[in-house]
Amino acid sequence: MKKIRFGKDIVILWQVLTDGEHTALGCRDLKLEIRNSLNRVVVLPMHVSDTSCVLKAIYHGKDHSSLGRHTLTLIENYGQCDQRIIDAPQVFALVKSTAEE
């Protein structure tokens, strides 16, 4: 797991496969959440291409609220029929100093 200094902007690139296939994400109803070790959830704005299965988001340092492990959750069709969810557990840990990175 990657360790990142608390307060730094974090660029997230996530390749998402659908049923094991590369499927474009651009036309889908998606919501990206990041959850910290205290179970606080932040919804991250993201960019997806009409032709790619990679999403891009930035978790700004000003939005960090606690140290520790963080998990990404991608939800498709939130609150609708055919809702789907995928997690990237413990994708990184925020640490208190550059030396800990």
Side-chain angles (χ1 to χ4, degrees), residues 22-27 47-54:
H22 294 266
T23 306
L25 299 174
C27 62
H47 172 75
V48 292
S49 166
D50 289 337
T51 59
S52 173
C53 64
V54 177

Side-chain angles (χ1 to χ4, degrees), residues 11-22:
V11 175
I12 298 165
L13 296 172
W14 187 7
Q15 180 177 314
V16 179
L17 301 180
T18 304
D19 299 323
E21 300 290 325
H22 294 266

Side-chain angles (χ1 to χ4, degrees), residues 65-78:
S65 61
S66 70
L67 299 173
R69 297 175 177 161
H70 287 65
T71 295
L72 293 174
T73 300
L74 183 64
I75 306 166
E76 182 176 13
N77 301 323
Y78 179 74

Side-chain angles (χ1 to χ4, degrees), residues 56-68:
K56 180 179 180 179
I58 299 176
Y59 186 31
H60 293 284
K62 66 179 181 58
D63 297 329
H64 299 176
S65 61
S66 70
L67 299 173

